[in-house]
Amino acid sequence: DFVEALRAVVGAPNVSTATAVREQHGHDESMHPCAPPDVVVWPQAVGQVQELAALCHRCRVPMVPFGTGTGLEGGVNAVQGGVCFDLSRMDAIAELSLEDFSVTVEPGVTRKALNKHLRGTGLWFPVDPGADASLCGMAATGASGTNAVRYGTMRPNVLNLRVVLPDGRLLHTAGPGRQPRKRAAGYDLTSLFVGSEGTLGFLTQATLRLHPLPEATAVTIASFPSVGAAVACTVQVLQAAVPVARIEFLDEVMADACSRFSGMGLPVAATLLLELHGSQRSLAEQQQQTEEIVRQNGGSGLAWAEGQEEREQLWSMRHNAWYAALALRPGCQGYSTDVCVPISRLPEVVVETKQDLQASNITGPMVGHVGDGNFHCILIFNSQDPEEAQRIHAFTQRLGRRALAAGGTCTGEHGVGLGKRALLQEELGPEGLDTLRSIKAALDPHNLMNPGKVL
Amino acid sequence: DFVEALRAVVGAPNVSTATAVREQHGHDESMHPCAPPDVVVWPQAVGQVQELAALCHRCRVPMVPFGTGTGLEGGVNAVQGGVCFDLSRMDAIAELSLEDFSVTVEPGVTRKALNKHLRGTGLWFPVDPGADASLCGMAATGASGTNAVRYGTMRPNVLNLRVVLPDGRLLHTAGPGRQPRKRAAGYDLTSLFVGSEGTLGFLTQATLRLHPLPEATAVTIASFPSVGAAVACTVQVLQAAVPVARIEFLDEVMADACSRFSGMGLPVAATLLLELHGSQRSLAEQQQQTEEIVRQNGGSGLAWAEGQEEREQLWSMRHNAWYAALALRPGCQGYSTDVCVPISRLPEVVVETKQDLQASNITGPMVGHVGDGNFHCILIFNSQDPEEAQRIHAFTQRLGRRALAAGGTCTGEHGVGLGKRALLQEELGPEGLDTLRSIKAALDPHNLMNPGKVL
């Protein structure tokens, strides 16, 4: 039968129909209910992915790619069943070129594993969504995170992708073995597959752009009298062409939660966490410019952490924001919203959203990649309480629409997945959605790749 | 009849079938023979573009978008006749937002017109392909140029595009009125239309990212003992994380030609032209780092131009490279090749190409955006001599294949147009080209948009 045919391709130990395994692969870190696949397979090589895909294609069985399961929008939930392709055992790091600032990784390689591999080379891969996600998974979801304001999101940092198409054919989005830093050779297939959320094919290898490690790094944290002041400070830092590496916003609720969770003693105020990269000398100048702008906007409490341990302490406070938020209501679940708006509209959108949270009686501290206009409300709620779950849903819809009305997007970096399909329609309009659907139908005519997601 | 119907949409003065006008619109600055459209129309508003497109669509008439005609690969040649849409009279600059670093332009706005408009705002649009091209045309061809090493190509600098689809419907690639700095909301339609060379629709408006003007700028020129030394210097500058704004290579033939054309007295040697942007203080540090690296690689002749006039003199020498090359053989025609390779492969590719030029008895001085691995041979030849034209064609094919063999692309920034379709097949392989064709067929099923180009 079909499962036997899968076993014939990858060997019996690499196929599982056990309930526990299927359930483990049927959901990510989102609030969507688990939807287990019928089978989980662990291919060991790209040829096996091709054979498995061709088999599923012939039998018209849905296929769901799986990396680390750290997505936030239900991207791996097998809502129509089918075969989950767990690609974590394909984990080669190949073709590191220090002169070209490039490396090629398979789907089992996470961003931390890559940066560990790069130690001592003077290069690093800066995109950091928080979780230790698979780099191919980050490409699939168009991930970004704290460093994007300086180093960009995944899209400009992917040079080529090796894709297994739904029928098992192999596509190299920039051509086989190619990695020029720029190209104008036909439609940009690389950018099309980045952010396609597994709906167009399997990303089985990514060639990435690396960046030189900064000679020196400094981190500071400052408290502001208002959200508006913190955002004005951000705009002025960018206008002054300070090449800020990270500029993260925490609202007063989140600053307080993080402070208590990490035992830091921060003021209960709108807060910015800033990181600067550069040579020793340029860093001193960036610090001085930043300090001036912070003070002009009423910011205070500024102190620079330059040693690695001190810096890591500050960032671990930020990276623990999720847990600090969960600690506000023990036993409850969390869900992170993800709107992104033009920065000029950010203060009003943040202030209105805070009023909405209060009026809706929802606990939802905010963190944001404020240099990009992207912020998250970490909504803490009792998912067992249908009334509360409904209230949370209604709030996320209002927030999405508020961002759209401000010229923004319903998702800056988490993707559409299962939950934002309705908002995506409003965001793109009928012509936009028709265009997405035409592309999907052209590349996956039987709708076998991660069906039910995005569109 | 059909022409009457076009007149009914845009008014008789905005429709022309005069031979001189048609011939003027039937070719760009490439070496492809003129292929005039049957009619030229000048729509004045997006609604007219939609009506005209719908009309052509109903009658199955080919459509060719036209901006400034400064393309280099025959993108505007109406090889199947039809209607040329000259969009130069739609030239509004709207929605400049200094806080958001963004602006929206219509197709008649050129990059110089935009930067003039931005004077005094502290912002600028850095992408500079040389010609004073239309910004929508630059988006259509995926242009880049000298500043791309620091500020990127067109792709990361376009936030949204208003597209008239082949049937006249209006698509906003990031949704109507939206301009977040990043988004993860469905397939990246903006990146798909950037570089589509008019084959998927008309770009009737582009929302662009602006950048803060640097406080200070310095330019220098240095001579090197070999191509390898100049490239090694480039790699080391990038590895040292010097945020170089422009790093341009001239081979000894081009350096000599430019020197004579501009009366500069440069050594006949592999040459780098470097531009640095920053604050006064950071500039001093960048200059010092750059000088050290230049000297370590045997570079000499270094002197910094910091005043605007001096800097412009150096850049006008570089921007006149085309005319300096043409002056090597008066009365002849020029054609610019455009390969781009991983930078580690650049020295061997450049050296082999120089040997090939010599063995083929072709005059072809080189300039290159060496920080990106992109270089041009400006081939000077007598297009009236069929033997020579054939020799030139054979050379460009060998050069394209040499770049492909080195993991590069046949076109870094000029596009595929008419002349590189065969090389594109080799670059992408059958699965890649099939994928392009599927997308084209999905979005332009009757092949009416700029037929005969790219694929």
Side-chain angles (χ1 to χ4, degrees), chain A residues 341-361:
Chain A
V341 298
I343 201 166
S344 64
R345 309 296 297 275
L346 194 58
E348 75 188 74
V349 171
V350 167
V351 167
E352 281 175 28
T353 302
K354 290 175 70 65
Q355 286 165 352
D356 189 353
L357 284 166
Q358 198 157 21
S360 313
N361 193 24

Side-chain angles (χ1 to χ4, degrees), chain A residues 320-339:
Chain A
N320 282 327
W322 177 261
Y323 304 102
L326 284 174
L328 294 175
R329 284 183 69 188
C332 281
Q333 202 186 341
Y335 172 73
S336 173
T337 68
D338 180 39
V339 299

Side-chain angles (χ1 to χ4, degrees), chain A residues 97-145:
Chain A
S97 169
L98 303 183
E99 267 187 303
D100 296 318
F101 304 81
S102 66
V103 71
T104 297
V105 297
E106 288 193 323
V109 181
T110 66
R111 64 177 186 87
K112 286 185 183 172
L114 175 61
N115 281 323
K116 196 173 161 194
H117 184 82
L118 293 173
R119 241 175 242 166
T121 64
L123 299 177
W124 70 312
F125 186 73
V127 183
D128 172 7
D132 186 22
S134 151
L135 291 154
C136 287
M138 286 164 61
T141 53
S144 47

Side-chain angles (χ1 to χ4, degrees), chain A residues 285-298:
Chain A
E285 187 187 22
Q286 290 183 43
Q287 285 173 289
Q288 192 191 316
Q289 286 178 291
T290 305
E291 281 175 24
E292 263 170 45
I293 297 169
V294 166
R295 288 213 193 85
Q296 278 161 13
N297 288 284

Side-chain angles (χ1 to χ4, degrees), chain A residues 257-276:
Chain A
C258 285
S259 173
R260 281 188 282 148
F261 190 81
S262 305
M264 301 274 294
L266 288 181
V268 182
T271 299
L272 287 181
L273 194 55
L274 288 118
E275 183 164 297
L276 305 173

Side-chain angles (χ1 to χ4, degrees), chain B residues 120-137:
Chain B
T121 65
L123 298 178
W124 70 312
F125 186 73
V127 183
D128 172 7
D132 186 23
S134 151
L135 291 153
C136 286

Side-chain angles (χ1 to χ4, degrees), chain A residues 195-210:
Chain A
S196 61
E197 301 190 40
T199 64
L200 298 178
F202 296 93
L203 310 189
T204 64
Q205 198 181 62
T207 302
L208 304 172
R209 268 182 81 155
L210 302 174

Side-chain angles (χ1 to χ4, degrees), chain A residues 50 53-55 57 63 164-170 443-444 448-449:
Chain A
Q50 292 185 260
L55 184 59
H57 186 259
M63 297 173 262
V164 173
L165 293 169
D167 59 5
R169 285 178 308 149
L170 199 62
L443 303 188
D444 181 19
L448 298 175
M449 282 307 308

